[in-house]
Amino acid sequence: MADLRTVFAGIKSPNPFWLASAPPTDKEYNVRRAFQAGWGGVVWKTLGEDPPVVNLSSRYGALGFEGRRLIGLNNIELISDRPLATNIAEIKRVKREFPDRAVIVSLMVPCEEDKWKAILPIVEETGADGIELNFGCPHGMSERNMGAAVGQVPEYVEMVTRWCKQNTRMPVIVKLTPNVTNILMPARAARAGGADAVSLINTIQSVIGVDLDAMAPMPVVGGKGTHGGYCGPAVKPIALRMIGEIARDPTMAGIPISGIGGISNWRDSAEFLAMGAGSLQVCTAAMHYGFRIVEDMIDGLSNWMDGKGYERLDDVTGRAVSQFVPWNQLNMKFRTIADIDQDACVGCGLCHIACEDTSHQAISKRNGPDRRHYEVIEDECVGCNLCAHVCPVDDCITMVPQPVDGELTWPEHPSNPHRITA
Amino acid sequence: MGTRFDIACGRLPEAVLDLNFADAHPGLSNEQAALEADRCFYCYDAPCVEACPTDIDIPRFIKAIASDNLAGASKTILQSNILGGSCARVCPTEILCEQKCVHTAIEANHAVRIGALQRFATDWQMNQTTHPFQRAQSTGRRVAIVGAGPAGLACAHRLAMHGHDVTIFDRHEAPGGLNQYGVAAYKLADNFAQKEIDFLMSIGGIQFQGGAVLGQTITLADLRQSYHAVFLGIGLSGVRALGFENEGVEGVLDAVAFIEALRSSTLSEVPVGRRVVVIGGGNTAVDAAVQAKRLGAEEITLVYRRGPEHMSATSVEREWAQTNGVTVRFWASPHHLLTDQDAVQGICFSRGTPEGGYDPQDSFTLEADMVLKAIGQVFVPDPIQKDQILVENGRIVVDAHGRTSMPGVYAGGDCTAGEDLTVAAVRDGRDAAEAIHAELMASSVEKDANNG
Ligand SMILES: Cc1cc2nc3c(=O)[nH]c(=O)nc-3n(C[C@H](O)[C@H](O)[C@H](O)COP(=O)(O)OP(=O)(O)OC[C@H]3O[C@@H](n4cnc5c(N)ncnc54)[C@H](O)[C@@H]3O)c2cc1C
Ligand SMILES: Cc1cc2nc3c(=O)[nH]c(=O)nc-3n(C[C@H](O)[C@H](O)[C@H](O)COP(=O)(O)O)c2cc1C
Ligand code: SF4
Ligand code: SF4
Ligand code: SF4
């Protein structure tokens, strides 16, 4: 059995699966159930100053696709709407009762040193394992100069991080907003401010859809809508890219990264680890299916690690990072060609029409006696992969790597007017 | 032998009869339709389309259902098949569109439920007050259609759409053909056939004249005089006989007539035997057997002369008979009828084998109060006997456009060679209408002058 025990910025948990700061971690009742279900840790729903914020009704909008619900979720919720003292008392109780689990407290107070100085000892007193600075909330709080409004300005990120580091002994995780053009700017600022770790991504600014009757963005609140924060399976690719960029950045070398964004199963988890994450945070998947989804994450990850011979999480964390390179370091001599398994093919024609209408015309069509026959015209196939992606039958189309004759990257490529000549 | 001649009406309470003859496969709910529509891969050059006699653009209409564009979905169906609503209910999809669905290559019998989705979309249209098609400007051309079954109706609608004036003649008082008095009641429940005809007629330009019998009250020659073109969709009016001398005794009925009586009367007034034997291996046999059972017959045996693989009823229909409590027996050929005075008492069969034929020495007898013959329908050429229209192999000969050997006269549906299915009749009617339209638009004013 693979060892899933996690030590992240000094914070210990029995497995890398933490619930992200969000409604599932908003109170003792939920967190207790989450721990009973097997979650390794929680990042408590963001605490702010009293009086607590006031939330709206309704709060969520969802993106579905071809019958699947909630491939993306958008929310216009704010931080915890319960009094600080209530949250603090509950955190303390839960931590005492589940000493082996990671309890991290997410915080967001106005950008004034006094305010941070005031809240930190209160949190510390709970026995929590660390804090996470919510510099990410992209709606509502940012209009009050908190959340993403801080996270988008590297100087503020650095400054607030430093205040925290100076005023608490707890590890400080800085949660980054993806609503920036270059994720490295706030990430480096966090490190400069002394952050023990970064976590990302928080939600992405979005309008999830338009209610065509109300003629207003969804969710519609009394006839109007606002932009919200987007998360769920659909944001995974964005999160992976940002995590990878930080993981491979020399100035960030060694910083623990808590991966967040669309993690829904063990496979997503393994991918986040491979791209550099040392712990994993989940929100939407738990909101969609409940805490029980962690069961498959834990045993799926551990079975996969056993199969691959990885003993500890460290064996996986960052394993794909050195293979994550800029485009111009890819070998231009490498080539794959699509291959159709004619026994598996059901003759739906999707590969053909996708290729036909996407400029390559590399899959021919013939009407056979029982079904249509589709064949790859190898000389026309550019190895783009599109057919394999549209084929509804698993493993029916494979991309077969062709023999490679050496390596040639764009910087040396003859077609590159700026090529490097020896 | 047991009680003699037990044929009676109202074997079951009316409430039970109503249940027994209610929609056998009720329509999909919105949720069911959405889930099913999402299963469709939206194939390119989809094989299911090729397997639909009317070439409905199936992926397109299913995609439209998935995107909640029901007006688009139903119009896609109806523009290929104006009787898409009844076809959705009566098509043996297991040997048509659904047989070719690519999902069956992934898992046998797990085709996308095309028929059910087609019903979902067309039901939506039936609940609107609008008609999706508009009649073109009147062309002033008149077309006579004989036979108001699916072939004639589809032909009429298409012609009316192109601006021609259509009169449909039928020997029945009401239009619909076998949709109205042949197809099993639970397939077209809630008076669907009539509702669909009302919908179809609402395009305008179509007149119906019932009680008009070709060869008796009207003649082809007269129609050719008064109309610019004629379409014959007169179906099959004859049934094969068993060939026994005493076949005329009480209790021996032709299955089609039995079903017609059932479709046109109050269920509690339809007489049915206590023990019924149905002879035949097609859908008519299955429909007669199941409906007799649902009317309250106690013992129903369907006897087919050859094996299951030879039956023209599909496997789905055979299972339907069996799950409805019909005993199905194979390899038995009717040998003689047992009668008592003028009523049937039973029927004796010779057993047979694929190799050896039937052995009259090896026989068995089934007691019966009613014997339903469903051994095939035939085309009766009498109404056109005097007109030199070519008939071959017992059906009117037509070319690919539905033209008979007589100029200006077209035919389609069961009276011509083909699949003998509602959907095929619709295709024939539609295609003949297009050919008639092309001919009428090309023809000179001369003809107008001649025919007034
Ligand atoms: C019992 C039974 C069950 C069936 N079930 C199914 C099923 O489930 N699914 C399926 O796809 N198909 C089924 N069929 C077949 C289907 O009903 C026919 O293929 C279809 O109705 C043929 O249409 P049509 O317009 O050619 O002929 P019909 O529907 O037979 O219509 C012919 C019309 O012409 C009229 N007519 C006939 N002679 C004259 C005349 N001399 N003068 C004036 N009018 C005349 C008749 O009154 C009738 O209205 C079934 C058939 C039967 C008998
Ligand atoms: C309803 C909702 C409320 C959230 N509230 C907070 C919050 O208070 N603090 C915070 O740091 N992140 C908050 N998030 C962001 C999540 O912690 C997480 O970063 C994001 O949802 C991406 O992960 P996921 O794709 O697994 O949902 C919230 C997300 C949702 C859906
Ligand atoms: S997409 Fe796949 S199943 Fe469909 S035709 Fe192409 S190879 Fe066959
Ligand atoms: S008309 Fe009949 S065969 Fe054609 S698609 Fe509809 S159900 Fe299938
Ligand atoms: S073959 Fe099946 S999956 Fe493909 S378009 Fe037709 S119904 Fe859809």
Side-chain angles (χ1 to χ4, degrees):
Chain A
M1 268 291 275
D3 183 357
L4 296 188
R5 277 176 304 169
T6 309
V7 183
F8 179 88
I11 302 166
K12 291 186 183 141
S13 64
N15 63 54
F17 301 105
W18 299 352
L19 283 166
S21 172
T25 62
D26 198 16
K27 55 175 166 337
E28 181 180 354
Y29 175 82
N30 300 52
V31 172
R32 202 177 275 283
R33 282 172 54 80
F35 284 158
Q36 280 154 1
W39 290 87
V42 298
V43 182
W44 204 275
K45 172 74 180 170
T46 306
L47 310 186
E49 292 185 307
D50 280 337
V53 300
V54 178
N55 273 307
L56 296 161
S57 169
S58 78
R59 304 176 187 182
Y60 308 137
L63 183 73
F65 185 69
E66 298 189 344
R68 295 315 301 250
R69 309 277 192 218
L70 232 83
I71 65 159
L73 175 70
N74 155 292
N75 83 87
I76 56 169
E77 256 181 37
L78 305 178
I79 61 175
S80 180
D81 53 14
R82 304 183 324 138
L84 183 61
T86 312
N87 277 311
I88 291 292
E90 291 182 4
I91 293 168
K92 193 168 176 174
R93 258 201 313 271
V94 172
K95 180 62 208 179
R96 198 174 306 139
E97 205 169 317
F98 295 90
D100 67 322
R101 309 301 169 96
V103 177
I104 291 118
V105 178
S106 171
L107 295 174
M108 182 197 287
V109 291
C111 230
E112 294 159 37
E113 189 171 7
D114 291 349
K115 309 259 184 195
W116 288 91
K117 266 188 171 165
I119 202 165
L120 289 168
I122 302 173
V123 175
E124 212 168 273
E125 209 269 318
T126 62
D129 300 289
I131 55 170
E132 185 181 78
L133 311 187
N134 178 353
F135 292 161
C137 183
H139 49 265
M141 299 314 290
S142 50
E143 290 160 24
R144 303 176 199 178
N145 294 321
M146 290 185 267
V150 179
Q152 285 165 335
V153 184
E155 292 74 19
Y156 292 171
V157 172
E158 181 177 341
M159 178 176 76
V160 178
T161 308
R162 181 164 298 121
W163 290 339
C164 292
K165 278 306 288 177
Q166 284 167 351
N167 291 294
T168 179
R169 53 170 175 75
M170 293 181 289
V172 176
I173 304 169
V174 174
K175 184 166 180 178
L176 302 174
T177 174
N179 300 302
V180 292
T181 31
N182 184 352
I183 195 67
L184 290 174
M185 297 302 158
R188 287 170 183 162
R191 172 157 252 197
D196 296 285
V198 292
S199 58
L200 70 162
I201 58 174
N202 208 312
T203 56
I204 303 170
Q205 283 186 335
S206 63
V207 168
I208 197 84
V210 177
D211 181 321
L212 291 176
D213 297 316
M215 274 298 164
M218 297 190 281
V220 181
V221 179
K224 291 180 183 151
T226 185
H227 78 261
Y230 191 42
C231 53
V235 309
K236 172 186 148 189
I238 296 164
L240 282 177
R241 195 276 291 186
M242 291 184 164
I243 289 165
E245 283 218 2
I246 293 172
R248 76 179 177 196
D249 181 49
T251 63
M252 295 299 291
I255 195 156
I257 303 171
S258 187
I260 322 171
I263 298 175
S264 308
N265 52 45
W266 69 266
R267 186 180 292 275
D268 296 336
S269 311
E271 293 174 27
F272 274 75
L273 294 172
M275 285 301 267
S279 74
L280 304 160
Q281 296 187 33
V282 176
C283 168
T284 306
M287 286 178 70
H288 191 172
Y289 296 114
F291 297 136
R292 64 205 162 113
I293 45 120
V294 76
E295 294 157 5
D296 183 60
M297 292 180 177
I298 295 173
D299 52 67
L301 182 64
S302 128
N303 290 338
W304 170 78
M305 286 173 65
D306 290 347
K308 289 280 181 189
Y310 299 129
E311 287 170 13
R312 281 170 299 277
L313 285 177
D314 285 349
D315 298 344
V316 182
T317 292
R319 219 173 170 95
V321 174
S322 56
Q323 285 78 254
F324 177 46
V325 297
W327 191 94
N328 69 10
Q329 288 178 29
L330 298 173
N331 185 2
M332 304 191 84
K333 288 194 167 175
F334 178 77
R335 204 173 159 224
T336 62
I337 295 180
D339 180 64
I340 297 177
D341 175 351
Q342 294 296 346
D343 294 330
C345 172
V346 298
C348 72
L350 290 176
C351 56
H352 167 78
I353 197 59
C355 190
E356 198 68 9
D357 291 356
T358 310
S359 90
H360 305 304
Q361 295 85 41
I363 297 180
S364 68
K365 166 175 181 284
R366 181 166 56 81
N367 283 2
D370 339 307
R371 66 164 173 83
R372 285 116 169 83
H373 273 266
Y374 293 95
E375 254 157 74
V376 176
I377 306 164
E378 296 200 352
D379 288 342
E380 298 296 329
C381 175
V382 298
C384 74
N385 247 356
L386 181 63
C387 56
H389 294 314
V390 301
C391 178
V393 181
D394 286 344
D395 303 325
C396 174
I397 301 185
T398 36
M399 301 305 298
V400 183
Q402 303 299 303
V404 193
D405 170 26
E407 186 166 10
L408 177 65
T409 60
W410 181 242
E412 302 94 39
H413 199 279
S415 304
N416 181 354
H418 310 291
R419 75 178 166 280
I420 305 157
T421 41
Chain B
M1 294 237 128
T3 336
R4 184 183 159 264
F5 192 50
D6 189 350
I7 295 182
C9 306
R11 290 187 182 276
L12 297 171
E14 249 169 81
V16 177
L17 286 174
D18 284 346
L19 263 182
N20 283 356
F21 288 86
D23 216 336
H25 304 284
L28 300 179
S29 67
N30 288 343
E31 291 71 21
Q32 289 167 332
L35 280 171
E36 195 59 23
D38 280 325
R39 287 184 64 221
C40 173
F41 292 146
Y42 193 45
C43 295
Y44 174 72
D45 188 18
C48 55
V49 175
E50 205 172 66
C52 168
T54 53
D55 306 303
I56 291 174
D57 190 340
I58 295 166
R60 179 168 164 190
F61 94 69
I62 296 182
K63 189 82 175 167
I65 291 176
S67 76
D68 202 18
N69 170 15
L70 296 182
S74 54
K75 192 163 179 181
T76 299
I77 295 161
L78 297 168
Q79 73 195 6
S80 292
N81 181 334
I82 193 64
L83 296 183
S86 48
C87 286
R89 292 163 164 80
V90 310
C91 273
T93 52
E94 63 277 13
I95 56 165
L96 299 170
C97 52
E98 291 177 17
Q99 184 183 38
K100 294 288 181 205
C101 173
V102 301
H103 274 273
T104 60
I106 297 170
E107 191 175 1
N109 302 322
H110 277 67
V112 170
R113 294 167 64 194
I114 301 169
L117 288 169
Q118 178 171 317
R119 170 165 174 183
F120 180 77
T122 50
D123 278 356
W124 177 88
Q125 174 60 58
M126 294 298 289
N127 289 324
Q128 310 301 305
T129 49
T130 51
H131 190 87
F133 305 102
Q134 251 192 340
R135 192 158 138 73
Q137 215 180 358
S138 173
T139 62
R141 307 294 162 107
R142 296 182 308 279
V143 183
I145 292 179
V146 188
L153 289 169
C155 186
H157 184 269
R158 186 56 62 110
L159 287 167
M161 200 165 98
H162 286 314
H164 308 297
D165 293 315
V166 182
T167 308
I168 316 183
F169 300 93
D170 199 295
R171 67 182 159 89
H172 280 84
E173 289 305 327
L178 289 174
N179 259 10
Q180 198 64 270
Y181 56 78
V183 170
Y186 41 71
K187 287 190 189 172
L188 290 171
D190 305 322
N191 208 16
F192 184 78
Q194 186 54 49
K195 288 181 193 159
E196 189 178 46
I197 290 165
D198 294 343
F199 159 75
L200 180 150
M201 297 281 200
S202 72
I203 192 169
I206 306 174
Q207 286 200 348
F208 176 73
Q209 213 172 297
V213 187
L214 186 68
Q216 293 176 25
T217 63
I218 48 171
T219 65
L220 192 51
D222 289 345
L223 294 177
R224 292 183 74 212
Q225 277 298 308
S226 328
Y227 293 86
H228 297 98
V230 180
F231 175 82
L232 301 175
I234 52 179
L236 306 173
S237 330
V239 284
R240 289 211 181 86
L242 292 170
F244 301 135
E245 257 173 45
N246 53 354
E247 207 167 320
V249 294
E250 193 118 20
V252 179
L253 271 81
D254 146 28
V256 179
F258 169 73
I259 296 171
E260 176 163 358
L262 185 153
R263 288 284 316 260
S264 22
S265 349
T266 308
L267 291 167
S268 58
E269 289 164 12
V270 183
V272 70
R274 185 181 294 278
R275 296 157 307 172
V276 178
V277 172
V278 181
I279 300 167
N283 293 342
T284 304
V286 169
D287 285 353
V290 173
Q291 289 176 106
K293 176 81 189 175
R294 290 185 169 213
L295 272 179
E298 276 170 16
E299 277 170 41
I300 309 263
T301 316
L302 188 157
V303 187
Y304 177 51
R305 125 190 107 88
R306 296 197 286 160
E309 66 279 20
H310 304 108
M311 268 181 115
S312 68
T314 67
S315 55
V316 169
E317 267 153 323
R318 195 169 68 234
E319 278 164 30
W320 171 248
Q322 286 165 331
T323 52
N324 271 279
V326 173
T327 307
V328 184
R329 297 191 66 157
F330 298 104
W331 290 108
S333 176
H335 188 264
H336 63 271
L337 288 168
L338 294 125
T339 56
D340 176 11
Q341 294 167 11
D342 272 343
V344 72
Q345 281 215 311
I347 174 163
C348 177
F349 294 89
S350 315
R351 289 202 176 85
T353 55
E355 305 79 30
Y358 303 92
D359 180 0
Q361 304 312 118
D362 183 7
S363 64
F364 64 91
T365 299
L366 294 177
E367 291 180 11
D369 307 298
M370 196 180 233
V371 172
L372 296 174
K373 300 177 285 180
I375 51 174
Q377 290 169 265
V378 290
F379 173 64
V380 178
D382 301 7
I384 53 163
Q385 207 82 58
K386 292 201 207 88
D387 314 277
Q388 261 112 53
I389 290 185
L390 192 60
V391 175
E392 253 175 36
N393 299 322
R395 304 283 175 114
I396 299 175
V397 176
V398 288
D399 68 8
H401 302 284
R403 292 191 204 104
T404 67
S405 60
M406 182 177 280
V409 179
Y410 294 71
D414 284 1
C415 65
T416 59
E419 303 95 318
D420 293 350
L421 292 174
T422 307
V423 62
V426 172
R427 172 203 56 209
D428 291 357
R430 176 199 70 189
D431 293 353
E434 290 297 348
I436 293 170
H437 174 59
E439 186 193 332
L440 294 184
M441 296 326 278
S443 71
S444 60
V445 263
E446 212 180 300
K447 188 158 181 180
D448 282 329
N450 285 343
N451 289 329

